[in-house]
Amino acid sequence: MEQNVLKDKITIITGAGRGLGEALCHGFADEGAIICPWDIDEQNLNNVAESLKKRNSLGRKAKLDITDEKQVENEVNEIEQEFGRIDILIANAGILHSYEITDFPEQLWRKVIEVNLVGYFICAKYVAKVMKKHKKGVILQINSKSGKKGSYWNSAYAASKFGGIGLTQSIALDLAPFGIRVNAICPGNILESPLWQTSLFQQYAKKWGISVDEVRRKYIEQVPLGRPCTYRDVINVAVFLASDYASYMTGQAINVTGGQEMR
Ligand SMILES: NC(=O)c1ccc[n+]([C@@H]2O[C@H](COP(=O)([O-])OP(=O)(O)OC[C@H]3O[C@@H](n4cnc5c(N)ncnc54)[C@H](O)[C@@H]3O)[C@@H](O)[C@H]2O)c1
């Protein structure tokens, strides 16, 4: 791929404050994109925006909740006014609550669907209105391997991610006549992420009565390529899908799992 393949592309990234979203901000900035980072967490958002500003890659930052339709609509309008267009949306923001089905609090189950599925719908809806005017654009959803295979204690997360693939395919059909491509990426376990480091390792170690190191080994053993998924693995595929190199691809959900789904 040529360098600066996303030069000056106005790119909204949701859930940009930490983890994969933060890494995507820098990965896309490396390719010349102008980043509009969104997050509900103001402190993390400000830190990311500051580092993007230092490298001249900051568009507009926004502290918002992607499940609040009015906030998303207003911010999309502000970006359109300032830059005249939106080239790329990466719907990355997502949450996970893990319970066995009979213990799952209903409100938490609904919350996961609300952020991971309804939030994606709301962002895509308003960004697509702008992209349609220009007959061009790319929408990428960060999905998960749990979007294709049910996962233990994860009924809400898997349901939200399966739904995300249905949403991706359906809006890819709606938007194809307008030159807008919509695809999803399904990463494996990103063990370097805060989600794993601050929460899942400890939760699973407790649940199974094993050490954190054993949990790590257990997850890596499931991967034919013998290592966890990294931010870089996801960024590489996201940059490709966002670029014109993928101009004949829409409605796809691409596994980035080291072959894990074959096991
Ligand atoms: N970490 C993994 O192993 C992994 C694997 C596969 C897929 N994913 C997916 O990647 C995406 C990012 O995951 P992560 O591990 O970086 O998570 P994370 O928890 O580190 O980051 C998620 C970010 O989204 C923000 N956010 C949450 N709710 C929001 C809302 N309502 N409005 C705006 N922002 C909100 C959070 O503040 C946070 O900054 C998620 O969609 C997740 O499902 C992660």
Side-chain angles (χ1 to χ4, degrees):
M1 257 191 287
E2 70 193 75
Q3 283 195 323
N4 262 343
V5 73
L6 302 175
K7 189 165 168 31
D8 296 333
K9 297 287 186 195
I10 306 300
T11 303
I12 296 171
I13 301 182
T14 72
R18 69 170 210 181
L20 180 58
E22 180 181 12
L24 283 163
C25 286
H26 288 290
F28 271 54
D30 289 343
E31 296 298 335
I34 304 298
I35 313 295
C36 298
W38 291 2
D39 207 288
I40 200 168
D41 182 316
E42 192 161 25
Q43 182 65 52
N44 286 346
L45 174 72
N46 287 343
N47 292 341
V48 171
E50 200 48 47
S51 58
L52 288 169
K53 199 170 167 189
K54 280 192 189 131
R55 50 185 306 191
N56 291 324
S57 299
L58 180 64
R60 257 182 78 90
K61 69 172 179 181
K63 181 210 173 300
L64 57 71
D65 180 345
I66 56 158
T67 68
D68 184 326
E69 184 162 16
K70 207 72 219 152
Q71 285 183 22
V72 171
E73 182 181 13
N74 288 343
E75 184 55 26
V76 165
N77 288 341
E78 294 286 344
I79 294 174
E80 188 185 14
Q81 269 185 19
E82 192 167 335
F83 299 99
R85 64 182 200 284
I86 297 169
D87 298 302
I88 300 166
L89 164 68
I90 306 185
N92 163 78
I95 60 171
L96 184 151
H97 290 287
S98 170
Y99 290 89
E100 198 262 330
I101 181 66
T102 49
D103 295 330
F104 219 125
E106 182 218 344
Q107 284 311 316
L108 275 186
W109 206 94
R110 286 186 190 275
K111 178 81 185 160
V112 173
I113 303 293
E114 188 71 14
V115 175
N116 296 3
L117 185 57
V118 183
Y120 168 32
F121 153 72
I122 291 173
C123 294
K125 173 179 171 180
Y126 287 96
V127 167
K129 281 178 194 261
V130 178
M131 289 177 170
K132 272 171 97 169
K133 294 183 199 165
H134 298 270
K135 296 217 174 312
K136 200 169 162 53
V138 173
I139 297 174
L140 290 181
Q141 188 218 8
I142 301 300
N143 199 286
S144 168
K145 65 177 170 51
S146 303
K148 294 187 176 177
K149 191 176 174 189
S151 110
Y152 186 66
W153 278 37
N154 257 335
S155 55
Y157 185 75
S160 74
K161 295 294 188 180
F162 269 67
I165 294 181
L167 180 53
T168 296
Q169 286 189 4
S170 302
I171 61 182
L173 289 171
D174 289 0
L175 298 174
F178 301 93
I180 301 164
R181 299 186 295 102
V182 189
N183 290 293
I185 296 176
C186 301
N189 301 304
I190 309 171
L191 301 185
E192 69 189 294
S193 66
L195 184 70
W196 277 88
Q197 296 290 334
T198 63
S199 155
L200 294 184
F201 271 128
Q202 286 79 6
Q203 271 188 52
Y204 293 154
K206 196 169 157 203
K207 194 161 70 183
W208 293 316
I210 59 180
S211 71
V212 164
D213 274 353
E214 283 166 325
V215 175
R216 190 182 167 79
R217 213 170 311 126
K218 197 171 145 73
Y219 274 89
I220 292 177
E221 272 168 9
Q222 296 168 19
V223 183
L225 289 181
R227 64 168 179 83
C229 186
T230 65
Y231 293 146
R232 179 41 64 188
D233 294 322
V234 181
I235 291 166
N236 288 343
V237 177
V239 167
F240 165 71
L241 285 174
S243 76
D244 287 345
Y245 285 100
S247 59
Y248 200 49
M249 292 179 71
T250 199
Q252 304 305 303
I254 308 296
N255 297 328
V256 183
T257 60
Q260 188 171 353
E261 72 286 345
M262 295 185 291
R263 285 242 162 108

Short mmCIF file of all heavy atoms in Angstrom, two decimals, residues 87 131-132 134-139 172-182 244 247 249-250:
data_model
loop_
_atom_site.label_atom_id
_atom_site.label_comp_id
_atom_site.label_asym_id
_atom_site.label_seq_id
_atom_site.Cartn_x
_atom_site.Cartn_y
_atom_site.Cartn_z
N ASP A 87 -15.49 11.57 5.68
CA ASP A 87 -15.03 10.51 4.78
C ASP A 87 -15.17 9.12 5.40
O ASP A 87 -15.48 8.16 4.69
CB ASP A 87 -13.55 10.73 4.41
CG ASP A 87 -13.36 12.04 3.67
OD1 ASP A 87 -13.99 12.22 2.61
OD2 ASP A 87 -12.60 12.91 4.15
N MET A 131 -22.60 11.61 4.16
CA MET A 131 -21.88 10.89 3.10
C MET A 131 -22.73 10.78 1.83
O MET A 131 -22.21 10.86 0.72
CB MET A 131 -21.49 9.49 3.59
CG MET A 131 -20.38 9.49 4.63
SD MET A 131 -20.04 7.81 5.20
CE MET A 131 -18.54 8.08 6.16
N LYS A 132 -24.06 10.61 1.99
CA LYS A 132 -24.94 10.46 0.82
C LYS A 132 -24.86 11.68 -0.10
O LYS A 132 -24.90 11.56 -1.32
CB LYS A 132 -26.39 10.26 1.28
CG LYS A 132 -26.74 8.80 1.54
CD LYS A 132 -28.11 8.66 2.19
CE LYS A 132 -29.18 8.35 1.19
NZ LYS A 132 -30.46 7.96 1.86
N HIS A 134 -22.37 13.41 -0.75
CA HIS A 134 -21.11 13.42 -1.52
C HIS A 134 -20.94 12.15 -2.35
O HIS A 134 -19.97 11.99 -3.06
CB HIS A 134 -19.92 13.55 -0.55
CG HIS A 134 -19.96 14.83 0.22
ND1 HIS A 134 -19.37 15.99 -0.22
CD2 HIS A 134 -20.59 15.16 1.37
CE1 HIS A 134 -19.61 16.96 0.65
NE2 HIS A 134 -20.35 16.47 1.62
N LYS A 135 -21.89 11.22 -2.21
CA LYS A 135 -21.85 9.94 -2.92
C LYS A 135 -20.53 9.21 -2.70
O LYS A 135 -19.93 8.63 -3.62
CB LYS A 135 -22.11 10.14 -4.42
CG LYS A 135 -23.50 10.67 -4.75
CD LYS A 135 -24.00 10.02 -6.03
CE LYS A 135 -25.43 10.33 -6.42
NZ LYS A 135 -26.46 10.22 -5.44
N LYS A 136 -20.06 9.24 -1.46
CA LYS A 136 -18.78 8.60 -1.13
C LYS A 136 -18.65 8.49 0.38
O LYS A 136 -19.11 9.37 1.11
CB LYS A 136 -17.63 9.46 -1.68
CG LYS A 136 -16.32 8.72 -1.85
CD LYS A 136 -15.34 9.59 -2.65
CE LYS A 136 -13.90 9.14 -2.51
NZ LYS A 136 -13.61 7.76 -2.78
N GLY A 137 -18.01 7.44 0.83
CA GLY A 137 -17.75 7.33 2.27
C GLY A 137 -17.50 5.89 2.67
O GLY A 137 -17.80 4.95 1.91
N VAL A 138 -16.94 5.73 3.85
CA VAL A 138 -16.64 4.40 4.38
C VAL A 138 -17.10 4.33 5.83
O VAL A 138 -16.76 5.21 6.64
CB VAL A 138 -15.12 4.10 4.32
CG1 VAL A 138 -14.81 2.78 5.02
CG2 VAL A 138 -14.63 4.05 2.88
N ILE A 139 -17.86 3.31 6.15
CA ILE A 139 -18.24 3.06 7.54
C ILE A 139 -17.64 1.71 7.93
O ILE A 139 -17.80 0.72 7.20
CB ILE A 139 -19.78 3.04 7.71
CG1 ILE A 139 -20.36 4.41 7.36
CG2 ILE A 139 -20.17 2.61 9.12
CD1 ILE A 139 -21.88 4.50 7.35
N ALA A 172 -25.14 -1.68 4.40
CA ALA A 172 -24.30 -1.77 3.19
C ALA A 172 -25.20 -1.81 1.96
O ALA A 172 -24.90 -1.17 0.93
CB ALA A 172 -23.40 -3.01 3.25
N LEU A 173 -26.34 -2.51 2.06
CA LEU A 173 -27.28 -2.55 0.93
C LEU A 173 -27.94 -1.18 0.73
O LEU A 173 -28.04 -0.69 -0.39
CB LEU A 173 -28.36 -3.61 1.19
CG LEU A 173 -27.89 -5.07 1.11
CD1 LEU A 173 -28.97 -6.02 1.60
CD2 LEU A 173 -27.48 -5.43 -0.32
N ASP A 174 -28.39 -0.56 1.84
CA ASP A 174 -29.04 0.76 1.74
C ASP A 174 -28.11 1.78 1.08
O ASP A 174 -28.56 2.64 0.32
CB ASP A 174 -29.37 1.32 3.14
CG ASP A 174 -30.50 0.58 3.83
OD1 ASP A 174 -31.03 -0.38 3.25
OD2 ASP A 174 -30.82 0.95 4.98
N LEU A 175 -26.82 1.70 1.40
CA LEU A 175 -25.91 2.80 1.04
C LEU A 175 -25.07 2.51 -0.21
O LEU A 175 -24.44 3.43 -0.74
CB LEU A 175 -25.00 3.13 2.24
CG LEU A 175 -25.76 3.61 3.49
CD1 LEU A 175 -24.82 3.78 4.68
CD2 LEU A 175 -26.49 4.93 3.21
N ALA A 176 -25.10 1.27 -0.70
CA ALA A 176 -24.30 0.93 -1.91
C ALA A 176 -24.64 1.85 -3.10
O ALA A 176 -23.73 2.31 -3.79
CB ALA A 176 -24.48 -0.53 -2.27
N PRO A 177 -25.92 2.15 -3.33
CA PRO A 177 -26.22 3.03 -4.48
C PRO A 177 -25.60 4.42 -4.34
O PRO A 177 -25.54 5.16 -5.33
CB PRO A 177 -27.75 3.12 -4.47
CG PRO A 177 -28.22 1.97 -3.64
CD PRO A 177 -27.14 1.69 -2.65
N PHE A 178 -25.18 4.78 -3.14
CA PHE A 178 -24.59 6.11 -2.92
C PHE A 178 -23.08 6.06 -2.82
O PHE A 178 -22.44 7.02 -2.37
CB PHE A 178 -25.19 6.74 -1.65
CG PHE A 178 -26.68 6.88 -1.73
CD1 PHE A 178 -27.52 5.89 -1.23
CD2 PHE A 178 -27.25 7.98 -2.35
CE1 PHE A 178 -28.89 6.00 -1.33
CE2 PHE A 178 -28.63 8.10 -2.46
CZ PHE A 178 -29.45 7.10 -1.95
N GLY A 179 -22.49 4.94 -3.20
CA GLY A 179 -21.02 4.84 -3.21
C GLY A 179 -20.42 4.74 -1.82
O GLY A 179 -19.23 5.00 -1.63
N ILE A 180 -21.26 4.38 -0.84
CA ILE A 180 -20.76 4.28 0.55
C ILE A 180 -20.58 2.80 0.88
O ILE A 180 -21.51 2.00 0.72
CB ILE A 180 -21.76 4.92 1.54
CG1 ILE A 180 -21.97 6.40 1.16
CG2 ILE A 180 -21.27 4.77 2.98
CD1 ILE A 180 -23.19 7.03 1.81
N ARG A 181 -19.38 2.44 1.33
CA ARG A 181 -19.08 1.04 1.68
C ARG A 181 -19.16 0.86 3.19
O ARG A 181 -18.74 1.74 3.94
CB ARG A 181 -17.69 0.66 1.19
CG ARG A 181 -17.53 0.76 -0.32
CD ARG A 181 -16.19 0.22 -0.80
NE ARG A 181 -15.05 0.98 -0.34
CZ ARG A 181 -14.24 0.63 0.64
NH1 ARG A 181 -14.43 -0.50 1.32
NH2 ARG A 181 -13.22 1.39 0.99
N VAL A 182 -19.73 -0.27 3.62
CA VAL A 182 -19.89 -0.54 5.05
C VAL A 182 -19.37 -1.95 5.36
O VAL A 182 -19.85 -2.93 4.78
CB VAL A 182 -21.38 -0.46 5.47
CG1 VAL A 182 -21.51 -0.53 6.99
CG2 VAL A 182 -22.05 0.79 4.93
N ASP A 244 -9.07 3.05 -0.79
CA ASP A 244 -9.62 2.64 -2.09
C ASP A 244 -9.12 1.27 -2.52
O ASP A 244 -9.65 0.70 -3.48
CB ASP A 244 -9.27 3.69 -3.16
CG ASP A 244 -10.09 4.96 -2.97
OD1 ASP A 244 -11.11 4.91 -2.24
OD2 ASP A 244 -9.71 6.01 -3.54
N SER A 247 -12.03 -0.97 -2.62
CA SER A 247 -13.19 -0.29 -3.22
C SER A 247 -14.26 -1.25 -3.75
O SER A 247 -15.36 -0.81 -4.06
CB SER A 247 -12.73 0.64 -4.34
OG SER A 247 -12.05 -0.11 -5.31
N MET A 249 -15.29 -3.91 -1.89
CA MET A 249 -15.72 -4.68 -0.71
C MET A 249 -16.77 -3.92 0.07
O MET A 249 -16.54 -2.79 0.51
CB MET A 249 -14.52 -4.94 0.22
CG MET A 249 -13.49 -5.88 -0.38
SD MET A 249 -12.12 -6.12 0.75
CE MET A 249 -12.87 -7.12 2.03
N THR A 250 -17.93 -4.53 0.23
CA THR A 250 -18.93 -3.96 1.14
C THR A 250 -19.78 -5.07 1.74
O THR A 250 -19.90 -6.15 1.15
CB THR A 250 -19.80 -2.88 0.43
OG1 THR A 250 -20.43 -2.08 1.43
CG2 THR A 250 -20.85 -3.48 -0.51
#
